[in-house]
Amino acid sequence: MSALALWRLPAISAWPTTVHSVGPRHDWGRRAGVLVRHTTTRPDPGAVIDGLPVTSLARTVIDTAAREPLAAGLMAADAALRGLDGPWFSRPAISRDNLLREAERVPVRRGRSRALLVAKLADARAESAGESLLRASIHLLGLPMPELQQEFRGDSGRRYSVDCYWPDQRFVLEFDGRAKYLDPALRGGRSAEQVVVDEKEREDEIRPQVRGMARVGWSVAAAPWRLEARLRAAGFRFPPRR
């Protein structure tokens, strides 16, 4: 979690009050105040961010994937594949192969299978932490992964990309976080009211081209059972239960 914060990667839980460090196995793992030391046999080139030494980006993501719930790992992995080019901090994108190689180095008893799953599911096309969270719940429901950022063209000639799309069902699922309406940085100079109007027009142009469509926010995206109920209510066809 300490390295996640320095790499500006999203986290699903509150930031910790302790700092965790790793070192060679001959260094005893122990706690001293807010610092918790861990031992490892996995060499890592590391990096320096804001003057502080941290694990490499791939190692940071895979450590999260191996130890945390699927959603937490996928949020970090998708963000790492997207990269970040911000005014105050830039983080080059890494490849899925980098994550897979790092995941293979995780000991079997330390979460290798979870780490490999996250590396295989990671997708740079997921544009937000909320979309990553949603995809984790989709996987936990046993559903096939949807196409991401599928493009539709409305009668007006405008082009729209949707978050999740299942071509075989012609079904669209959108993550609809509140930040889209409340965060000025995401509104592009529009008022919250105008964003609502634009979203309504966008949906009106997409709906005639699909069989079903649903929107979910954070609370539904984070709970697979609630997501299932929302999808069923919107007409999504689930495979028969075994």
Side-chain angles (χ1 to χ4, degrees):
M1 290 287 285
S2 311
L4 277 180
L6 287 168
W7 279 113
R8 277 68 164 181
L9 292 168
I12 198 171
S13 55
W15 294 116
T17 57
T18 55
V19 176
H20 294 254
S21 66
V22 294
R25 182 173 290 278
H26 61 264
D27 290 339
W28 289 100
R30 64 185 185 275
R31 178 168 182 162
V34 298
L35 177 63
V36 181
R37 296 187 178 95
H38 303 272
T39 60
T40 181
T41 58
R42 292 159 56 199
D44 181 67
V48 176
I49 302 176
D50 298 339
L52 298 172
V54 298
T55 49
S56 66
L57 181 55
R59 173 69 178 267
T60 301
V61 171
I62 292 304
D63 280 353
T64 302
R67 299 170 183 168
E68 301 292 328
L70 175 64
L74 198 54
M75 287 166 62
D78 287 348
L81 264 58
R82 285 195 303 270
L84 177 65
D85 187 14
W88 311 113
F89 182 81
S90 294
R91 184 185 65 237
I94 62 174
S95 69
R96 185 197 309 275
D97 286 343
N98 283 344
L99 293 183
L100 287 169
R101 283 195 296 271
E102 188 64 39
E104 288 285 359
R105 299 171 61 214
V106 177
V108 173
R109 295 185 180 181
R110 295 294 182 88
R112 182 190 294 174
S113 60
R114 292 194 302 273
L116 284 170
L117 175 61
V118 167
K120 291 172 182 177
L121 291 178
D123 197 317
R125 294 175 298 172
E127 294 183 337
S128 70
E131 292 177 35
S132 301
L133 176 67
L134 178 59
R135 292 173 54 242
S137 289
I138 289 171
H139 175 80
L140 291 174
L141 286 174
L143 300 177
M145 282 291 106
E147 293 293 328
L148 305 185
Q149 307 309 320
Q150 174 71 37
E151 187 176 90
F152 290 86
R153 185 169 183 172
D155 292 338
S156 66
R158 295 192 184 96
R159 296 182 182 275
Y160 307 98
S161 294
V162 299
D163 297 334
C164 301
Y165 180 63
W166 286 270
D168 59 328
Q169 297 205 37
R170 293 176 49 238
F171 194 97
V172 168
L173 177 61
E174 294 268 70
F175 178 79
D176 200 22
R178 296 179 64 187
K180 180 191 301 183
Y181 307 96
L182 302 179
D183 187 345
L186 299 178
R187 295 203 307 253
R190 298 173 296 168
S191 67
E193 292 80 8
Q194 186 59 52
V195 174
V196 172
V197 171
D198 291 347
E199 284 295 306
K200 178 63 167 58
E201 292 178 352
R202 175 179 181 275
E203 185 169 328
D204 287 344
E205 293 216 277
I206 293 173
R207 275 196 179 275
Q209 304 181 56
V210 299
R211 188 186 61 81
M213 186 173 184
R215 290 177 176 271
V216 299
W218 285 95
S219 61
V220 175
W225 65 272
R226 294 187 67 185
L227 176 60
E228 178 177 358
R230 183 68 58 86
L231 288 173
R232 287 186 183 279
F236 189 91
R237 296 169 183 153
F238 279 73
R241 295 186 185 276
R242 295 182 179 179

